[in-house]
Amino acid sequence: MNRIFVIEDDENLRNQMKEILSGYGYEVILVQDFLTIEKQFQQADPNLIILDINLPYYDGNYYCRIFRRQSKIPIIITSARNTDIDQILSMELGADDYVVKPFSIPVLITKINALMRRVYGEYSKEEKKEEKVDKMGYGGLILEDSSFKIRYKGMERDLSKNEYRLAKVFLKKPETVLSREELLEALWDQSDFVDDNTLTVNITRLRGKLAELGLEDVIRTKRGVGYLLDIKEGEMA
């Protein structure tokens, strides 16, 4: 049984999440002592974390950073903070998804199930098969599957799991307009249940990594349609 570690200081909400997630077959471990979160995390050895931002003593971003140093476990942030800056910060610190409060429980369940499939289930097996082809590239840009690194002209950057998935989709179809729905499906399987703003955050992060490699504006927005990776156009802009 997969274990979910819930770090939420709203007692009613955390109890509600436990009741509903238990009904979906998950073992739910609730944090109640917010002074010993790290110790409880190590004891719980969970498969996924639901992490609130506004917590006593230290905020969720602090713990997100701590957990990510220790593990690649999926982390879903929940917060009433709904600005792009807040979402970018959490995801830069290692979160896999960000859900704005008040949220729909069915949406949360869908995101949990999608992450579980990606990391532990059928899709993780498919990704391991694909890792036999370790490198793919376009225009001098090289993506390494095994290391989650992206390289260009002797420079390299590490990518998060979501940045890697987006980069892989773009490199499979360079100079082709990709719809937001296609990109969402690459990340979360069920695009109808995903907060569209989360895709924007991940695109922004990937653009930032490419800019650090000297590739400014190579992911172009086609308003109302989607996004396009075009290194030649980006270099000319």
Side-chain angles (χ1 to χ4, degrees):
M1 180 182 293
N2 285 319
R3 293 179 299 281
I4 297 179
F5 192 53
V6 176
I7 309 173
E8 167 62 60
D9 66 340
D10 182 321
E11 183 177 1
N12 290 332
L13 179 57
R14 70 172 178 253
N15 288 337
Q16 181 185 14
M17 284 195 287
K18 179 173 184 177
E19 180 179 356
I20 294 173
L21 291 171
S22 297
Y24 279 84
Y26 292 110
E27 178 184 351
V28 182
I29 302 160
L30 302 179
V31 167
Q32 305 201 35
D33 179 0
F34 293 92
L35 283 172
T36 62
I37 288 177
E38 292 178 57
K39 181 179 179 181
Q40 292 176 71
F41 167 70
Q42 293 168 356
Q43 292 174 340
D45 189 25
N47 302 100
L48 182 142
I49 299 172
I50 298 175
L51 176 59
D52 185 25
I53 290 289
N54 295 316
L55 296 171
Y57 310 113
Y58 299 97
D59 73 5
N61 285 328
Y62 167 84
Y63 288 109
C64 186
R65 185 189 299 112
I66 294 295
F67 296 146
R68 190 50 74 227
R69 287 174 181 168
Q70 302 176 24
S71 171
K72 294 182 179 179
I73 183 174
I75 299 172
I76 298 178
I77 295 289
T78 60
S79 176
R81 304 177 190 177
N82 60 2
T83 68
D84 287 350
I85 292 175
D86 289 315
Q87 297 191 41
I88 290 171
L89 174 60
S90 293
M91 299 184 83
E92 286 287 355
L93 292 174
D96 294 276
D97 209 338
Y98 192 106
V99 183
V100 177
K101 293 179 178 180
F103 53 79
S104 161
I105 291 293
V107 168
L108 180 63
I109 293 292
T110 299
K111 289 176 178 285
I112 291 170
N113 290 341
L115 276 171
M116 287 294 192
R117 288 195 301 271
R118 283 290 187 189
V119 178
Y120 307 108
E122 56 191 282
Y123 296 115
S124 68
K125 295 175 184 177
E126 290 175 6
E127 286 183 358
K128 287 177 183 176
K129 291 178 183 177
E130 290 179 1
E131 284 179 3
K132 293 178 181 178
V133 180
D134 187 55
K135 296 181 180 180
M136 60 190 306
Y138 154 71
L141 187 66
I142 303 295
L143 178 68
E144 293 190 355
D145 279 17
S146 59
S147 64
F148 280 26
K149 291 183 183 294
I150 196 159
R151 305 178 188 275
Y152 184 72
K153 292 185 177 179
M155 297 181 290
E156 68 177 40
R157 291 293 183 273
D158 292 313
L159 300 181
S160 70
K161 188 175 294 184
N162 282 344
E163 291 166 356
Y164 158 79
R165 288 177 182 147
L166 286 175
K168 193 167 187 177
V169 174
F170 280 120
L171 287 171
K172 282 181 177 178
K173 298 181 179 180
E175 301 178 27
T176 302
V177 177
L178 302 177
S179 69
R180 296 184 70 86
E181 289 75 18
E182 186 173 356
L183 294 169
L184 286 167
E185 287 172 4
L187 294 178
W188 294 283
D189 314 321
Q190 305 233 5
S191 59
D192 290 342
F193 293 94
V194 175
D195 181 353
D196 193 63
N197 194 46
T198 308
L199 173 62
T200 303
V201 169
N202 279 278
I203 291 286
T204 299
R205 294 176 63 199
L206 180 57
R207 279 174 167 156
K209 295 289 179 67
L210 293 175
E212 291 173 7
L213 295 175
L215 292 171
E216 295 276 356
D217 301 321
V218 295
I219 297 179
R220 299 157 56 200
T221 302
K222 293 293 184 180
R223 194 170 299 279
V225 182
Y227 297 92
L228 169 76
L229 173 65
D230 194 327
I231 289 180
K232 293 178 182 178
E233 287 292 328
E235 290 178 335
M236 289 166 47

